[in-house]
Amino acid sequence: MPYQPHEYRHVSYLWNDAVADKLEPLGNLVYRSNRLGEDQRITNTGGGNTSAKLIERDPLTGEKVEVLWVKGSGGDLRTAKKENFSSLYSGKLEALKKVYQGYPDKGYKSPGEDRMVGMFSHCTFCLNPRPSSIDTPLHSMIVEKHIDHLHPNAVISVASCKDQEQLTHEIWGGKLAYVPWMRPGWEAAKICEETYANNPYISGILLGQHGHTSWASDSKTCYETSLWVIETAARYIESHDKGDKTFGGAKYQSLSVENRTNLLREFLPVARGLISRNVKFISTVQTDEATLRFVNSNDASRLAELGTSCPDHFLRTKIKPLYIEFDPQREDLDILVARFKSGLEKYRADYTAYYEACKRPDSPPMRDPGPTVILIPGIGLIAWGKNKSESRVTAEFYNCAIEVIRGAEAISTYQGLPPQEAFDIEYWALEEAKLQRMPKEAALARNIVVVIGAGDGIGKAVAHRVAREGAHVVCADLNLEAAERTAAELVAIYDQGIGVAGSGISGSGSAIALQVDITRRDTVHKLFTQVILAYGGIDNVIVTAGVFIAESADLDQNDRIFDLSFDVNVKGGYVVASEAQHIWNKQNLRGSMVLTTSVNAAVSKKGSLAYDTSKAAANHLVRELAVSMSPLVNINALAPATVVQGSNMFPRDRVISSLAKYDIPFNEDDTTDSLRNKLAEFYAQRTLTKQLISPEDQAEAAYLLISGQLSKTTGQVISVDGGLHEAFLR
């Protein structure tokens, strides 16, 4: 039945005997799962589950028992490890059948059926804490040893056709049985169990509107059976492909990359502001050819209105996307914004009507009625989520939905789930319970924070501090390599997240690195363009970039030092603020900005004339910006002092010069860090608190200023200097 490995055209054959044969049984299940999840045409992020019934030794009796290992709730096949699988005694799972039959309120979509999910924990083998999947009964009731339950695009295409049952028999030649749509759970598993028992020759079951389940007696054959199911469906769809007539053919033409970028730069902040009526959202943009073929087509509006089919899809994408009728070649930004506003209001009204028509007495409250997917001809797809990872997954799932629709329309007529069935998944008590179990969002989880100067010193510490609060961090610096190192550190700590969608920089995670020269408006403009494409807008901007150069006896050189100091320390802050203001105004969401000045701005001293006066000007720039950018944006300043450790303003030669200036003994052979520690300790003893001042101390203050805890503070300069009484403001 399976194809030879080299014959696959629509999936990748990734099984390697040399690797798989060395693995113990559970490791082999993980291996199979990872290979399936590795191919996006087979399954999507977080979707599908695999299982194996293995013989284990009971830790209580020492006897050998059969244990069902099945991918647990919330796991992802591509990245799954052993700890992502739940383990349950097969015998105890079998005993649950009698428990279920004793319920007076059993039946499809009944409280009794939902109650069975809580019973799985009583079957746990070896105190495994991984919660069981809702599909556990499906894996338990089919007696085959190895089972894959997947949601491949090609298979869902067949399962979403008007004549899906007939096509099932035609495409797979009777090797797959057909079960009409049922919400996953105990009753659906019972139907599959009966279908398997009555058709012992089949290799799997097509689940209407959902996907497929297939099986085998060993892991490799199970993997190959799954690939055969998918490849066979894909080849059938390919043989009926409509070519240029796909989705009814093209109605609109795509914009050039440059024109699309320019339009998105202006549109995304507006859209983010309007979408974020209750809470803020983060965007992911998809502009690949497959997406553009759909949104540009004659049938896109009709097909989008039908919504998605597979429950894994619409839990992310909602019952349908918002399609905006827009001619990119003849209409402009103002028309797009106007259409989006009216479309958004209609979508919210439609969603509210859908909720009211389908809700049940015990339904959870209506969630945000706005769309999570926006389709725009000539531009592509914009997905929204509470964070970057979620918006990437949403985009990924609608990419899959487009492929499903394409396949279904090629071989038949596409149909979505009936609204009540969709509602009963979206507002299922079990799904609501899963949402309620999610950890509380971090303070900055929905914020986009641009840190300029993030390559080292205070900027690096700030980037780490806001990332710890869940922020999406843009690490910007004149030194791109330094910014990339900081961003890589953040990704290593906080992970890239899940989801594999997003075009260009929009496929990024929660931290990116960009180059900027704040004295040049064109580079600042380019920086914010990339930030918008990556995340949809901005919330907070923290500028730690600065320059300190001591004067000399060379007056011409001092003139250049003066120019550079004011360009970076004053003009740079103004350029960043004015470019950011354009975005904040379009979003119409409250924002905040922190400029880094210095306590030197309030202290007269020798040898740093250009630096000190530029920082004094920066202090007043903060006050001016606070006035001009109110009431939408709070502008404050962070004024550090004596930050020696980790600061690029204290290279070895300056440290040595300062040590000599203050008659602090040192050895030329001392390491730079040792010399910095000596100077830092000297500075600490000059303060009222007698404490070393670190970049992390400055980062804490910067975080406080953007955290919302000081939302009624603007135009102020916050000194973090350990208590230098010379710098007390008078």
Side-chain angles (χ1 to χ4, degrees):
M1 179 180 62
Y3 302 92
Q4 293 299 310
H6 66 275
E7 294 178 327
Y8 288 99
R9 300 197 303 263
H10 300 280
V11 291
S12 299
Y13 187 95
L14 302 174
W15 192 274
N16 185 335
D17 287 331
V19 176
D21 291 349
K22 294 178 182 178
L23 299 171
E24 40 78 33
L26 178 57
N28 190 284
L29 171 61
V30 175
Y31 178 79
R32 181 174 98 231
S33 305
N34 294 162
R35 299 295 75 75
L36 290 168
E38 203 172 322
D39 190 337
Q40 294 174 47
R41 296 165 297 185
I42 291 176
T43 190
N44 37 49
T45 298
N49 34 68
T50 52
S51 71
K53 299 180 181 73
L54 307 176
I55 300 300
E56 307 283 0
R57 190 169 295 279
D58 192 313
L60 293 178
T61 66
E63 297 176 354
K64 291 183 177 181
V65 294
E66 186 179 82
V67 173
L68 172 69
W69 290 89
V70 58
K71 192 207 78 172
S73 178
D76 174 52
L77 290 178
R78 178 169 52 91
T79 59
K81 299 178 176 60
K82 291 180 182 179
E83 57 266 28
N84 298 117
F85 286 78
S86 59
S87 53
L88 307 102
Y89 288 95
S90 292
K92 291 186 177 182
L93 286 170
E94 181 67 21
L96 288 183
K97 293 181 178 179
K98 185 175 181 181
V99 173
Y100 181 69
Q101 289 305 316
Y103 287 157
D105 55 353
K106 62 181 179 291
Y108 184 51
K109 295 185 182 179
S110 68
E113 184 182 29
D114 288 353
R115 198 179 304 122
M116 292 305 293
V117 176
M119 297 300 294
F120 299 155
S121 60
H122 295 286
C123 305
T124 299
F125 170 78
C126 228
L127 304 179
N128 187 345
R130 174 59 57 179
S132 297
S133 164
I134 189 66
D135 288 308
T136 296
L138 177 66
H139 291 268
S140 171
M141 292 184 192
I142 295 175
V143 298
E144 289 285 352
K145 299 301 183 186
H146 296 267
I147 298 174
D148 293 337
H149 170 63
L150 303 171
H151 310 127
N153 295 336
V155 175
I156 305 175
S157 291
V158 181
S160 300
C161 288
K162 179 180 65 176
D163 45 355
Q164 53 195 252
E165 182 173 10
Q166 174 190 331
L167 286 167
T168 300
H169 298 297
E170 180 179 340
I171 293 171
W172 289 286
K175 290 294 184 180
L176 250 64
Y178 170 79
V179 170
W181 159 258
M182 291 182 72
R183 191 173 73 179
W186 193 269
E187 291 290 339
K190 281 176 57 182
I191 296 296
C192 290
E193 179 186 36
E194 293 167 5
T195 301
Y196 170 75
N198 294 331
N199 301 277
Y201 53 85
I202 61 174
S203 300
I205 297 171
L206 182 85
L207 304 167
Q209 307 292 141
H210 192 166
H212 82 275
T213 300
S214 54
W215 48 75
S217 58
D218 66 88
S219 189
K220 180 180 179 180
T221 304
C222 187
Y223 172 80
E224 292 178 337
T225 300
S226 291
L227 263 57
W228 170 79
V229 171
I230 302 163
E231 178 75 13
T232 302
R235 289 189 180 199
Y236 186 86
I237 293 169
E238 181 184 45
S239 69
H240 293 77
D241 184 73
K242 294 184 177 179
D244 292 342
K245 299 299 183 182
T246 298
F247 304 129
K251 181 178 181 181
Y252 300 111
Q253 292 182 344
S254 296
L255 290 173
S256 67
V257 173
E258 181 181 4
N259 289 340
R260 181 177 68 218
T261 297
N262 292 337
L263 190 63
L264 283 170
R265 189 191 199 279
E266 300 302 312
F267 176 72
L268 277 169
V270 175
R272 183 174 186 242
L274 293 169
I275 285 281
S276 303
R277 183 169 69 177
N278 299 320
V279 290
K280 287 182 289 194
F281 288 94
I282 307 296
S283 72
T284 291
V285 178
Q286 191 77 28
T287 59
D288 63 294
E289 286 303 314
T291 301
L292 288 168
R293 177 173 64 173
F294 179 67
V295 299
N296 291 347
S297 71
N298 281 290
D299 291 344
S301 177
R302 173 183 65 83
L303 294 169
E305 189 67 19
L306 296 176
T308 51
S309 172
C310 178
D312 266 40
H313 292 179
F314 63 69
L315 282 173
R316 300 280 188 170
T317 65
K318 291 196 170 178
I319 190 169
K320 65 179 180 180
L322 168 59
Y323 175 86
I324 302 174
E325 196 73 58
F326 175 69
D327 187 340
Q329 304 298 332
R330 296 177 177 81
E331 297 174 326
D332 60 12
L333 174 68
D334 290 340
I335 292 176
L336 176 59
V337 169
R339 298 254 176 87
F340 175 66
K341 286 180 178 178
S342 60
L344 182 59
E345 288 308 306
K346 183 178 186 303
Y347 188 100
R348 285 172 169 153
D350 288 351
Y351 187 88
T352 302
Y354 152 75
Y355 177 86
E356 292 297 329
C358 298
K359 71 178 181 181
R360 300 181 184 275
D362 58 348
S363 293
M366 186 178 75
R367 304 184 190 115
D368 190 300
T372 58
V373 176
I374 302 170
L375 306 175
I376 309 175
I379 296 175
L381 174 160
I382 305 169
W384 302 90
K386 65 181 180 181
N387 53 42
K388 185 61 183 178
S389 181
E390 184 174 280
S391 72
R392 281 207 319 267
V393 173
T394 300
E396 175 191 338
F397 277 40
Y398 202 78
N399 291 340
C400 292
I402 289 172
E403 280 302 291
V404 166
I405 295 170
R406 181 188 70 81
E409 287 286 297
I411 60 177
S412 179
T413 301
Y414 172 76
Q415 62 179 17
L417 270 177
Q420 187 65 59
E421 293 298 325
F423 181 90
D424 289 344
I425 287 284
E426 186 178 357
Y427 284 91
W428 193 1
L430 297 180
E431 286 294 336
E432 179 67 15
K434 187 186 296 185
L435 293 175
Q436 295 303 321
R437 288 196 302 267
M438 297 288 286
K440 182 181 178 182
E441 288 184 32
L444 298 181
R446 294 175 180 263
N447 280 37
I448 302 153
V449 183
V450 181
V451 182
I452 298 178
D456 52 28
I458 295 173
K460 178 189 279 281
V462 168
H464 276 270
R465 181 66 185 90
V466 297
R468 197 160 78 236
E469 299 297 333
H472 301 79
V473 187
V474 179
C475 302
D477 203 287
L478 182 62
N479 184 337
L480 180 58
E481 289 184 2
E484 289 172 338
R485 284 194 294 271
T486 301
E489 290 169 7
L490 299 182
V491 171
I493 295 170
Y494 302 105
D495 197 38
Q496 186 78 355
I498 60 175
V500 292
S503 298
I505 198 169
S506 200
S508 63
S510 61
I512 58 173
L514 295 169
Q515 187 173 36
V516 67
D517 177 351
I518 61 175
T519 68
R520 293 176 49 199
R521 185 174 292 275
D522 62 327
T523 75
V524 177
H525 183 86
K526 182 179 179 181
L527 164 71
F528 282 124
T529 297
Q530 292 301 301
V531 175
I532 290 168
L533 293 176
Y535 301 119
I538 58 171
D539 295 294
N540 319 102
V541 178
I542 302 172
V543 181
T544 67
V547 62
F548 173 92
I549 308 174
E551 293 85 15
S552 68
D554 185 337
L555 295 182
D556 287 339
Q557 175 68 11
N558 289 346
D559 288 348
R560 289 189 289 273
I561 290 171
F562 232 91
D563 289 342
L564 180 60
S565 297
F566 272 78
D567 270 356
V568 175
N569 298 339
V570 186
K571 178 187 172 185
Y574 159 71
V575 170
V576 171
S578 56
E579 286 291 324
Q581 185 177 20
H582 176 77
I583 302 167
W584 275 315
N585 287 344
K586 282 186 170 295
Q587 284 183 157
N588 197 31
L589 299 173
R590 295 197 66 86
S592 62
M593 182 173 184
V594 178
L595 295 179
T596 305
T597 63
S598 172
V599 297
N600 283 27
V603 179
S604 303
K605 61 193 193 60
K606 204 170 185 178
S608 53
L609 181 62
Y611 179 77
D612 295 354
T613 53
S614 69
K615 290 298 186 178
N619 275 355
H620 196 62
L621 173 66
V622 167
R623 293 185 279 267
E624 294 282 355
L625 291 174
V627 173
S628 63
M629 296 176 72
S630 66
L632 195 61
V633 183
N634 289 28
I635 312 285
N636 291 289
L638 168 68
T642 67
V643 182
V644 179
Q645 296 166 318
S647 172
N648 64 350
M649 290 191 181
F650 280 88
R652 183 181 179 89
D653 58 348
R654 183 185 175 193
V655 173
I656 290 175
S657 174
S658 297
L659 291 171
K661 174 182 174 182
Y662 296 118
D663 294 324
I664 302 171
F666 67 93
N667 295 317
E668 291 285 352
D669 295 336
D670 287 346
T671 65
T672 301
D673 283 343
S674 175
L675 296 173
R676 282 175 170 164
N677 288 339
K678 287 179 183 289
L679 184 60
E681 184 60 39
F682 170 78
Y683 282 149
Q685 293 308 310
R686 297 193 310 178
T687 70
L688 298 177
T689 64
K690 309 299 183 186
Q691 297 183 81
L692 294 174
I693 306 300
S694 68
E696 287 71 27
D697 295 322
Q698 311 299 329
E700 197 64 40
Y703 163 66
L704 180 64
L705 287 168
I706 68 164
S707 67
Q709 298 176 75
L710 297 180
S711 61
K712 298 176 183 177
T713 298
T714 191
Q716 301 302 307
V717 179
I718 308 298
S719 297
V720 182
D721 57 9
L724 287 171
H725 65 84
E726 301 94 331
F728 289 173
L729 295 180
R730 297 170 175 84

